[in-house]
Amino acid sequence: MHSVAPNSDHPVLVFVPTYADRSAIPHIAAEVAQLGAGYRALIVDDGSDPPVDRPDERCLHVRLNANYGLGVSTQIAFHHALRWRYEALVRVDADGQHALSDIPRLLEALKTADLVVGVRTNEDRSNTLDVGARRAMKAYFNFVARLMTGGGAPRDVNSGLFAANVVAMQRLNAVPLERFPEPQIAITACRAGLRVVSVSVQQRPRGEGRSSINVTAALGMFFRFNVFALTELMRPRR
């Protein structure tokens, strides 16, 4: 049991991990505030140089002294949400691609599920080498994830938009998350017997910068994903 009272003022923690994305952060913080008094933003700066500033006093802000990866940032958010007894955690990207107006839809679906994933219905149709590598990587991850979960995994396991309840946070925070943890989160939740559902969303244009996943990064993710998948398959289903 936690030693603190439930966070009744802000039962939903909106987790925004960032590494160098900064221009959209104030807008995201403002959108979280507009959702209502029940929402609190948590910005986790994963070692940006220069640091990403706290956008306003309503936001929680964590600054890491090095780039530890998205898995570490996600577990910081899970730990905080569990420690202070939030009812749900929603993750959104820091580049402005996720419409925060979708959050109430995810939370509505969370009433009968443990993990809700925002499945993107649009994608980048460019034909560059990097985009092609990302597209192939995502297709492979989705295929393997659905094989590993008997079709239970969402059809977009790379989506960075998800909502988790306390049960899901406790289960996911108990395993070390990879540097790019989205497929691991979906697969682990399904194989642990959690209720995982999808909500269709539209991804907005990136607010700044470009995807960090190029051909080299995609090859690294492919290797780490296969190591994770083989390790997970050797474990008994829970």
Side-chain angles (χ1 to χ4, degrees), residues 16 24-35 39 41 43 54-56 58-59 100:
V16 188
I25 294 291
H27 304 289
I28 293 171
E31 287 186 78
V32 172
Q34 290 170 4
L35 288 172
Y39 297 82
I43 313 298
R54 182 183 182 187
D56 60 54
R58 294 168 297 184
C59 292
L100 271 68

Side-chain angles (χ1 to χ4, degrees), residues 142-160:
N142 288 331
F143 174 73
V144 173
R146 292 184 69 79
L147 280 181
M148 292 178 65
T149 61
R155 294 186 179 278
D156 186 5
V157 295
N158 288 94
S159 174

Side-chain angles (χ1 to χ4, degrees), residues 24-74:
I25 294 291
H27 304 289
I28 293 171
E31 287 186 78
V32 172
Q34 290 170 4
L35 288 172
Y39 297 82
R40 187 77 175 268
L42 168 63
I43 313 298
V44 179
D45 178 7
D46 188 21
S48 302
D49 185 17
V52 174
D53 295 328
R54 182 183 182 187
D56 60 54
E57 70 281 355
R58 294 168 297 184
C59 292
L60 302 170
H61 182 268
V62 175
R63 157 72 178 166
L64 303 183
N65 61 6
N67 179 229
Y68 292 100
L70 182 55
V72 171
S73 296
T74 302

